[in-house]
Amino acid sequence: MFSSTDIGIDLGTANILVYTKAKGIILNEPSVVALDTKSNKVIAFGEDAKAMIGKTPDSIRVVRPLKEGVIADFDVTIELLKLVMQKAAKQIGGSFRKPNVMICTPCGATSVERRAIVDAVKHSGAKSVHLIEEPVAAAIGADLPVSEPIASVIVDIGGGTTEVGIISFGGVVSANTVRVAGDRMDEDIIQYVRKKYNVLIGEPTAENIKKQIGYALISHEEETMEVRGRDIMTGLPKVVNLTSTEIQEALKESLLAILECIRATLENCPAELSGDIVDQGVIISGGGALLKGLQQWLSEEISVPVHIAPQPLESVAIGTGKSLVMLNKLDKIAR
Ligand code: ADP
Ligand code: MG
């Protein structure tokens, strides 16, 4: 039986979100945990822990326990989920005793990886755990007609992976994953600045550069940004001026890998559904959908309309929560 404290969780590589039907998104934090190196006790999580990345002494370890959409560090993931549940419960003014949880998994996750997600959520205090494929959740969250025999194409660009899914009749008809998304773009920028300027920058700086002057491969009015890092030769702090054209060059390979993944999925689409895709277009979601110019570039490349999901960073969480409500209805019918 389901109660009002049923929750939907989007356990992303970059961000973790919690949704309830009554309150909507009640928690949205980076999937980051800071631990005491010796005792392994959690010092901080979420936004507070993310602010520590690249700035801590040896006595503190900052961990992102999820990699490429799946659990890389099981124990730390449990700690993260426990803290998330506590904070989410406070958010709705109390505690939820043993909630039923709907949580998403990437399409490409193995059965072992799925099992690990279920176990981790159970360990953190859930009564029951249900899994939903990420593209289906993203499509529900973006209000697409998933349960109808109309093809919806979702491209979710997160931290660790880009997932492309074609959904029809409530299920995934065809899907593809590539391990290139936001994190890789940050890494691309770090490497580019290191090679071209002999300057080291950290991940948070690279992410800021991407968000501020990152562009998909379209012509645009050039923007510049002043960036601080450490000169590799002298070891001293150094300021460099980066342009959006340079960042475009840095991101080129990753963007082409994402495009290739989308093309491959569309080519695999059953002929009957291809027509729908021309009409409906492709929906992009996940934080990566916010990269400037991405919508325009993709629609030019694949010759199909491309739309950004209404709330790209929240679609999956909203979809997990909404699907829990559907499950609730099914449950009532079954009883
Ligand atoms: P996940 O589902 O893996 O947790 P998200 O969907 O939350 O990932 O997206 C996080 C990624 O989106 C990060 O790599 C972040 O840098 C990127 N991102 C967020 N905002 C922007 C933006 N405005 N432009 C480009 N990338 C962005
Ligand atoms: Mg995601």
Side-chain angles (χ1 to χ4, degrees):
M1 230 196 92
F2 290 80
S3 67
S4 59
T5 53
D6 299 335
I7 58 176
I9 300 180
D10 171 8
L11 183 62
T13 307
N15 297 296
I16 180 164
L17 288 84
V18 179
Y19 178 97
T20 67
K21 192 190 164 204
K23 298 258 166 90
I25 305 274
I26 54 169
L27 179 141
N28 184 352
E29 295 274 350
S31 313
V32 186
V33 180
L35 302 151
D36 183 297
T37 314
K38 272 202 193 121
S39 66
N40 258 341
K41 282 238 163 69
V42 176
I43 297 170
F45 84 103
E47 210 59 71
D48 296 341
K50 189 176 179 182
M52 295 180 175
I53 292 178
K55 294 182 176 175
T56 54
D58 287 347
S59 58
I60 300 173
R61 195 162 61 97
V62 184
V63 184
R64 288 180 57 188
L66 293 131
K67 295 249 150 61
E68 289 154 4
V70 296
I71 296 174
D73 188 327
F74 190 73
D75 296 337
V76 177
T77 302
I78 292 173
E79 291 300 319
L80 175 64
L81 281 167
K82 278 185 187 159
L83 290 162
V84 161
M85 298 275 221
Q86 277 167 19
K87 185 161 180 185
K90 256 191 219 149
Q91 221 62 32
I92 56 169
S95 64
F96 17 74
R97 287 181 46 235
K98 300 236 156 210
N100 296 297
V101 175
M102 177 70 82
I103 189 160
C104 58
T105 63
C107 278
T110 64
S111 55
V112 175
E113 288 163 342
R114 280 165 210 257
R115 187 79 244 157
I117 291 176
V118 172
D119 287 349
V121 178
K122 282 214 169 129
H123 272 91
S124 68
K127 185 163 85 190
S128 69
V129 185
H130 306 269
L131 293 177
I132 179 168
E133 310 255 34
E134 224 162 338
V136 178
I140 295 172
D143 275 332
L144 298 179
V146 283
S147 51
E148 288 165 39
I150 301 173
S152 301
V153 184
I154 280 278
V155 176
D156 185 275
I157 308 172
T161 54
T162 295
E163 299 233 344
V164 186
I166 301 178
I167 293 145
S168 182
F169 259 135
V172 177
V173 178
S174 154
N176 255 309
T177 302
V178 62
R179 298 186 167 196
V180 177
D183 290 342
R184 176 70 70 86
M185 295 185 203
D186 300 346
E187 189 56 36
D188 291 338
I189 294 172
I190 293 173
Q191 295 303 338
Y192 183 90
V193 175
R194 197 174 66 92
K195 279 209 189 105
K196 183 154 181 192
Y197 295 99
N198 270 322
V199 168
L200 280 180
I201 56 169
E203 276 169 35
T205 303
E207 188 182 13
N208 269 335
I209 297 170
K210 173 185 71 180
K211 287 183 183 174
Q212 282 195 34
I213 60 166
Y215 272 90
L217 310 175
I218 55 159
S219 53
H220 65 280
E221 200 163 317
E222 191 175 75
E223 292 180 44
T224 58
M225 185 175 167
E226 200 182 88
V227 173
R228 290 168 172 74
R230 179 161 58 85
D231 190 311
I232 296 175
M233 309 309 255
T234 65
L236 297 173
K238 190 168 175 184
V239 177
V240 283
N241 273 303
L242 294 173
T243 68
S244 51
T245 313
E246 289 177 301
I247 300 307
Q248 240 178 355
E249 196 184 322
L251 299 181
K252 190 173 172 190
E253 230 170 86
S254 292
L255 289 169
L256 291 175
I258 291 171
L259 174 63
E260 193 44 50
C261 182
I262 299 172
R263 280 220 175 101
T265 318
L266 294 179
E267 280 166 17
N268 251 338
C269 178
E272 277 300 309
L273 296 177
S274 283
D276 294 344
I277 295 173
V278 176
D279 296 336
Q280 301 272 318
V282 167
I283 311 315
I284 48 175
S285 73
L290 294 168
L291 184 75
K292 288 188 245 183
L294 188 72
Q295 178 186 16
Q296 187 193 334
W297 176 65
L298 282 179
S299 60
E300 283 168 13
E301 289 293 333
I302 57 177
S303 311
V304 164
V306 174
H307 312 283
I308 304 182
Q311 291 137 299
L313 283 159
E314 298 172 357
S315 319
V316 172
I318 296 170
T320 52
K322 283 195 178 162
S323 63
L324 198 53
V325 177
M326 288 182 198
L327 203 68
N328 193 357
K329 280 188 191 142
L330 291 175
D331 195 53
K332 280 201 181 121
I333 295 165
R335 276 184 306 122

